[in-house]
Amino acid sequence: MPKPTNWARTYLSKDKSPFGCFAIYNLMDNVYSKGYLINNKTLYNLNTDSSKKTSIIIIDDKLNFNKNDVKAIFKFLDRGNTAFISVNQFNGAFADTFHLKTSYDYSDYNVSIDSLINKAGAKIRLEAQNFKNKPFLYSGVAVSSYFKEFDTTRFKVLAQFSKNRVCLISTNVGKGKLYLMTMPDVFGNYFVVDNPNRFLVYAILSLLKNDVLIWDEYYKTYNVSNYSFIKFILENDSLYAAYLLIIIVLIFYMIFEGRRRQRAIPIVETPKNSTLEFVNVVSHVYYNSKNHQSIAAEKIRFFYETVRAKFQVNTNKINGEFLNEISTLSGIEIKMVKQLFTYCEKLREPIEITENELIELNRQIHNFNKNSLR
């Protein structure tokens, strides 16, 4: 008997279910930034290189930031960084700060999944000029959440799916940029893998043009590891005040009393580096699929979308004029540019692709992104 499909909205990077984010998480590497990290701690404890502009992506069903989280994200944005948050419901201190209220269609609450799949849902339209006549139609299985209230004098509307049903807005915070979006379902595997609506996701993520991209896992609803005793204290104002008082008393005790006694020096263990373990898992997934042609085609689509966003050019015709323009704008030799795009066009043909050819494609795209001036 086949295993039933898990329709839980986890949005986790390792989840391959319809509303997991395994596909988009793994396709973003080396496409939208030069560095790609995963976050498993609070924004308050997030350490970023101040010399590099950073973008953080938070995708979940609900957002329940406490006051410390709000202060931390304001500090993060004030350094010139970018935050992209997509959730169905904005709650707590964050919603109060930006005067946000969200809602969605409750009529589909008790409808079966099979019925929702066959039912027409939201038709999202981006406000960008080159997307105005290209609506993206979603089935009813995607929750059609929208901003019921927001500060129209502060936020700019970037996308909506009907009159007065805005789903994507942006504003400047300090030196940084804040993007807020409802309908996080559009980032799920169901609407990304072999689905034409994936180009909406590509267009939205192309807004993030920083050196380092951080994918958040800490604030996920299904990330049970983030529900700690300390977090419970920090979310309650009275307990937080008591917690600070205890810390202050302990500091005074250590200064005036603890120094009189011999104290043991604790052994600090070296933090475990799980980078190799993660790389090993992802590499096995791609190795076992053996579908090199499909992976190459998707990688090339991502690359061309990035070229269009960065250089404002049309990639439908790869000719001498196009190659000279890319070479001028990127600062890369025409010879290397021609070699890369010729190789991409070759692999776009429906031919059998070897593992070495796929590796070479990834190497050339990586070198282009690394050496490009933009």
Side-chain angles (χ1 to χ4, degrees):
M1 188 173 180
K3 184 179 179 181
T5 303
N6 177 19
W7 290 93
R9 288 174 164 80
T10 67
Y11 308 107
L12 293 170
S13 62
K14 294 183 179 180
D15 189 359
K16 298 180 182 180
S17 63
F19 291 118
C21 287
F22 177 85
I24 191 62
Y25 172 79
N26 285 283
L27 288 172
M28 286 169 63
D29 193 10
N30 289 328
V31 175
Y32 294 100
S33 65
K34 297 178 181 178
Y36 196 30
L37 306 172
I38 190 166
N39 176 53
N40 283 304
K41 52 190 175 183
T42 65
L43 289 170
Y44 181 80
N45 294 317
L46 181 63
N47 295 318
T48 58
D49 187 347
S50 58
S51 64
K52 294 182 178 181
K53 300 304 180 184
T54 305
S55 293
I56 187 169
I57 298 178
I58 301 175
I59 300 175
D60 198 14
D61 184 44
K62 300 177 182 179
L63 186 75
N64 293 293
F65 276 179
N66 58 38
K67 292 181 180 179
N68 290 321
D69 293 326
V70 173
K71 290 179 181 177
I73 201 165
F74 267 89
K75 184 178 179 181
F76 174 81
L77 292 169
D78 195 49
R79 293 199 297 264
N81 298 316
T82 303
F84 178 88
I85 305 174
S86 179
V87 296
N88 283 318
Q89 296 181 40
F90 289 88
N91 300 321
F94 187 88
D96 295 338
T97 301
F98 289 102
H99 308 291
L100 302 173
K101 285 188 179 180
T102 53
S103 185
Y104 56 90
D105 190 354
Y106 291 91
S107 62
D108 295 334
Y109 189 77
N110 293 317
V111 181
S112 67
I113 291 294
D114 292 336
S115 299
L116 290 174
I117 290 175
N118 298 317
K119 179 182 177 181
K123 184 186 290 186
I124 299 179
R125 292 180 182 273
L126 293 172
E127 294 296 316
Q129 193 64 36
N130 55 331
F131 282 100
K132 278 215 169 185
N133 297 322
K134 297 178 182 178
F136 297 89
L137 179 61
Y138 287 83
S139 64
V141 75
V143 175
S144 301
S145 52
Y146 59 93
F147 290 102
K148 187 177 181 180
E149 293 181 15
F150 65 95
D151 188 350
T152 56
T153 62
R154 180 171 191 173
F155 286 95
K156 178 182 178 181
V157 176
L158 300 182
Q160 54 188 323
F161 56 86
S162 66
K163 187 177 181 181
N164 298 325
R165 292 203 169 184
V166 175
C167 59
L168 178 60
I169 55 179
S170 69
T171 187
N172 295 318
V173 178
K175 299 177 182 178
K177 193 80 172 181
L178 175 64
Y179 295 93
L180 303 179
M181 183 177 180
T182 56
M183 292 191 69
D185 290 353
V186 303
F187 297 94
N189 298 319
Y190 186 83
F191 294 110
V192 172
V193 179
D194 295 329
N195 191 301
N197 286 330
R198 66 184 182 276
F199 294 106
L200 171 66
V201 176
Y202 299 165
I204 292 173
L205 294 180
S206 66
L207 297 171
L208 312 179
K209 301 176 181 179
N210 288 337
D211 299 325
V212 179
L213 187 63
I214 300 176
W215 176 277
D216 175 74
E217 290 282 278
Y218 179 81
Y219 291 98
K220 294 285 192 292
T221 302
Y222 278 79
N223 181 19
V224 295
S225 62
N226 70 359
Y227 289 97
S228 63
F229 177 69
I230 296 298
K231 184 179 180 182
F232 175 76
I233 292 177
L234 296 178
E235 289 179 345
N236 187 295
D237 292 339
S238 300
L239 292 177
Y240 180 57
Y243 176 74
L244 290 179
L245 179 60
I246 292 174
I247 295 296
I248 293 172
V249 170
L250 288 175
I251 291 174
F252 274 99
Y253 173 81
M254 287 187 292
I255 293 175
F256 297 105
E257 180 67 21
R259 65 181 181 180
R260 299 180 183 178
R261 304 175 184 177
Q262 186 176 1
R263 292 162 289 173
I265 301 175
I267 299 175
V268 180
E269 296 183 0
T270 304
K272 183 181 178 182
N273 188 349
S274 60
T275 303
L276 292 177
E277 180 183 349
F278 166 74
V279 172
N280 186 47
V281 172
V282 174
S283 62
H284 273 77
V285 171
Y286 282 100
Y287 177 78
N288 292 330
S289 70
K290 297 294 183 181
N291 191 352
H292 304 316
Q293 201 280 332
S294 176
I295 297 173
E298 202 66 36
K299 195 79 176 178
I300 292 171
R301 288 194 197 97
F302 264 84
F303 175 60
Y304 278 19
E305 178 70 25
T306 304
V307 169
R308 288 192 293 271
K310 283 184 177 180
F311 304 109
Q312 302 297 314
V313 295
N314 187 350
T315 58
N316 291 331
K317 292 183 179 180
I318 308 299
N319 51 33
E321 181 181 352
F322 170 83
L323 297 176
N324 286 327
E325 186 174 359
I326 294 297
S327 176
T328 302
L329 294 175
S330 65
I332 299 174
E333 294 181 7
I334 183 65
K335 178 182 177 181
M336 303 302 295
V337 173
K338 182 177 180 181
Q339 178 182 345
L340 169 59
F341 282 93
T342 302
Y343 197 66
C344 288
E345 290 298 309
K346 173 187 173 183
L347 297 189
R348 291 180 74 182
E349 300 295 329
I351 58 175
E352 190 71 22
I353 295 177
T354 65
E355 183 177 346
N356 290 332
E357 288 176 319
L358 183 61
I359 293 173
E360 174 62 17
L361 172 66
N362 184 73
R363 184 190 69 79
Q364 290 194 32
I365 292 177
H366 174 75
N367 289 338
F368 180 87
N369 290 330
K370 180 180 179 181
N371 297 320
S372 176
L373 296 177
R374 293 193 179 186

